[in-house]
mmCIF file of all heavy atoms in Angstrom:
data_model
loop_
_atom_site.group_PDB
_atom_site.id
_atom_site.type_symbol
_atom_site.label_atom_id
_atom_site.label_comp_id
_atom_site.label_asym_id
_atom_site.label_seq_id
_atom_site.Cartn_x
_atom_site.Cartn_y
_atom_site.Cartn_z
ATOM 1 N N ARG A 5 -38.461 -47.105 1.160
ATOM 2 C CA ARG A 5 -39.186 -45.869 0.900
ATOM 3 C C ARG A 5 -39.946 -45.439 2.159
ATOM 4 O O ARG A 5 -40.526 -46.256 2.853
ATOM 5 C CB ARG A 5 -40.166 -46.053 -0.263
ATOM 6 C CG ARG A 5 -39.464 -46.345 -1.589
ATOM 7 C CD ARG A 5 -40.468 -46.423 -2.727
ATOM 8 N NE ARG A 5 -39.818 -46.722 -3.981
ATOM 9 C CZ ARG A 5 -39.263 -45.794 -4.760
ATOM 10 N NH1 ARG A 5 -39.289 -44.531 -4.388
ATOM 11 N NH2 ARG A 5 -38.688 -46.145 -5.897
ATOM 12 N N GLY A 13 -40.584 -44.236 15.526
ATOM 13 C CA GLY A 13 -40.573 -44.307 16.983
ATOM 14 C C GLY A 13 -39.233 -43.839 17.520
ATOM 15 O O GLY A 13 -38.186 -44.227 17.003
ATOM 16 N N GLY A 45 -25.345 -36.398 31.048
ATOM 17 C CA GLY A 45 -25.918 -35.115 31.429
ATOM 18 C C GLY A 45 -26.988 -34.582 30.504
ATOM 19 O O GLY A 45 -27.704 -33.645 30.869
ATOM 20 N N HIS A 69 -29.014 -40.618 8.745
ATOM 21 C CA HIS A 69 -29.718 -41.840 8.337
ATOM 22 C C HIS A 69 -30.946 -41.566 7.475
ATOM 23 O O HIS A 69 -31.659 -42.502 7.106
ATOM 24 C CB HIS A 69 -30.099 -42.645 9.576
ATOM 25 C CG HIS A 69 -28.914 -43.135 10.347
ATOM 26 N ND1 HIS A 69 -28.214 -44.266 10.001
ATOM 27 C CD2 HIS A 69 -28.275 -42.618 11.441
ATOM 28 C CE1 HIS A 69 -27.206 -44.447 10.843
ATOM 29 N NE2 HIS A 69 -27.226 -43.462 11.727
ATOM 30 N N HIS A 111 -55.882 -37.884 43.365
ATOM 31 C CA HIS A 111 -55.011 -39.044 43.179
ATOM 32 C C HIS A 111 -53.621 -38.708 42.676
ATOM 33 O O HIS A 111 -52.735 -39.582 42.708
ATOM 34 C CB HIS A 111 -55.665 -40.029 42.196
ATOM 35 C CG HIS A 111 -56.937 -40.632 42.712
ATOM 36 N ND1 HIS A 111 -56.963 -41.759 43.506
ATOM 37 C CD2 HIS A 111 -58.237 -40.251 42.555
ATOM 38 C CE1 HIS A 111 -58.218 -42.049 43.808
ATOM 39 N NE2 HIS A 111 -59.006 -41.158 43.243
ATOM 40 N N GLY A 127 -62.244 -51.873 32.620
ATOM 41 C CA GLY A 127 -63.489 -52.622 32.704
ATOM 42 C C GLY A 127 -64.035 -52.641 34.122
ATOM 43 O O GLY A 127 -63.476 -52.041 35.039
ATOM 44 N N MET A 193 -32.542 -46.592 32.093
ATOM 45 C CA MET A 193 -33.413 -46.662 33.270
ATOM 46 C C MET A 193 -33.923 -48.099 33.366
ATOM 47 O O MET A 193 -33.692 -48.912 32.477
ATOM 48 C CB MET A 193 -34.605 -45.712 33.116
ATOM 49 C CG MET A 193 -34.260 -44.282 32.754
ATOM 50 S SD MET A 193 -33.835 -43.287 34.178
ATOM 51 C CE MET A 193 -35.441 -43.089 34.940
ATOM 52 N N GLN A 234 -18.449 -52.720 27.652
ATOM 53 C CA GLN A 234 -17.880 -53.922 27.053
ATOM 54 C C GLN A 234 -17.455 -54.935 28.117
ATOM 55 O O GLN A 234 -17.655 -56.145 27.949
ATOM 56 C CB GLN A 234 -16.685 -53.541 26.184
ATOM 57 C CG GLN A 234 -17.039 -52.728 24.951
ATOM 58 C CD GLN A 234 -15.814 -52.304 24.171
ATOM 59 O OE1 GLN A 234 -14.802 -52.995 24.176
ATOM 60 N NE2 GLN A 234 -15.897 -51.161 23.513
ATOM 61 N N GLU A 246 -12.393 -67.402 36.933
ATOM 62 C CA GLU A 246 -11.059 -67.872 36.553
ATOM 63 C C GLU A 246 -10.987 -68.288 35.091
ATOM 64 O O GLU A 246 -9.891 -68.445 34.529
ATOM 65 C CB GLU A 246 -10.627 -69.037 37.443
ATOM 66 C CG GLU A 246 -11.503 -70.275 37.369
ATOM 67 C CD GLU A 246 -12.686 -70.230 38.331
ATOM 68 O OE1 GLU A 246 -12.963 -69.141 38.883
ATOM 69 O OE2 GLU A 246 -13.309 -71.290 38.522
ATOM 70 N N ALA A 292 -42.375 -63.097 32.893
ATOM 71 C CA ALA A 292 -41.718 -61.807 32.695
ATOM 72 C C ALA A 292 -40.968 -61.842 31.371
ATOM 73 O O ALA A 292 -40.364 -62.852 31.005
ATOM 74 C CB ALA A 292 -40.759 -61.498 33.837
ATOM 75 N N SER A 335 -31.828 -55.860 21.155
ATOM 76 C CA SER A 335 -32.264 -55.616 22.527
ATOM 77 C C SER A 335 -32.581 -54.149 22.785
ATOM 78 O O SER A 335 -33.305 -53.821 23.731
ATOM 79 C CB SER A 335 -31.171 -56.073 23.504
ATOM 80 O OG SER A 335 -29.946 -55.386 23.250
ATOM 81 N N GLU A 377 -14.722 -36.952 31.212
ATOM 82 C CA GLU A 377 -15.976 -36.438 31.765
ATOM 83 C C GLU A 377 -16.938 -35.812 30.677
ATOM 84 O O GLU A 377 -16.418 -35.229 29.766
ATOM 85 C CB GLU A 377 -15.642 -35.445 32.840
ATOM 86 C CG GLU A 377 -16.552 -35.527 34.076
ATOM 87 C CD GLU A 377 -17.335 -36.704 34.389
ATOM 88 O OE1 GLU A 377 -16.774 -37.760 34.460
ATOM 89 O OE2 GLU A 377 -18.582 -36.590 34.507
ATOM 90 N N GLY A 387 -52.846 -50.695 24.076
ATOM 91 C CA GLY A 387 -53.367 -51.663 23.122
ATOM 92 C C GLY A 387 -54.498 -51.120 22.315
ATOM 93 O O GLY A 387 -54.856 -49.953 22.397
#
Side-chain angles (χ1 to χ4, degrees):
R5 296 184 181 275
H69 296 278
H111 295 274
M193 308 276 288
Q234 293 176 30
E246 62 273 13
S335 58
E377 220 20 54

